[in-house]
Amino acid sequence: MDHWAANEVHEKLVSRLIPYERNQRIHPASQINELASSINEWGWTVPILIDENENVIAGHGRLYAAQELGIEKVPCVIASGWTDQQKKAYVIADNKLQEGSDWNYPAMASELRDLIDSGFSVELTGISDTELQIF
């Protein structure tokens, strides 16, 4: 493929974005809170992927975090010209493909030690206290 499916960032009203009602990922309140904390710390770093009708394809958790924070507008990229089947498949692929990777645990332990030693709030990484004990 020699083109970008979504190559421009557009600012969209949160209130107009429509979550996919059949999204297979569940976003518990604890994850939404973690995402909101991440947005507070680093700002908005990844746009929400939507179609031409403002239906969310990817980024549901970020959308819910924006709602939680009372953010009125968020950056979005628009996947234009996708069929309904392509959109449905991408919802699954966006959530599933990341599961194929693993952590480099020695590198993770080193990074976490550096963060802890510097006094940085490692809770912002999403690493739980139980997971910290492993490292």
Side-chain angles (χ1 to χ4, degrees), residues 71-83:
I71 296 173
E72 291 184 23
K73 294 179 181 178
V74 294
C76 296
V77 289
I78 302 170
S80 300
W82 287 11
T83 66

Side-chain angles (χ1 to χ4, degrees), residues 4-5 8-9 12 16 20 30 33 43 45-46 48 52 62 66 68 76 87 90 92-93 107 110 120-123 134:
W4 297 93
E8 292 182 24
V9 177
K12 297 288 185 175
R16 295 193 44 129
Y20 182 48
S30 59
N33 290 335
T45 59
V46 180
I48 294 173
E52 301 95 335
R62 292 186 301 280
E68 179 80 19
C76 296
K87 292 178 215 177
Y90 192 85
I92 296 168
S110 176
F120 190 82
S121 178
V122 293
E123 295 82 24
I134 295 169

Side-chain angles (χ1 to χ4, degrees), residues 105-122:
Y105 289 104
M108 173 74 86
S110 176
E111 291 293 302
L112 288 169
R113 271 194 299 279
D114 287 349
L115 290 170
I116 291 167
D117 291 348
S118 72
F120 190 82
S121 178
V122 293

Side-chain angles (χ1 to χ4, degrees), residues 34 105 108-109 112 116 122-123 125-135:
E34 288 175 345
Y105 289 104
M108 173 74 86
L112 288 169
I116 291 167
V122 293
E123 295 82 24
T125 66
I127 301 291
S128 70
D129 288 338
T130 304
E131 291 171 310
L132 276 175
Q133 293 176 11
I134 295 169
F135 298 108

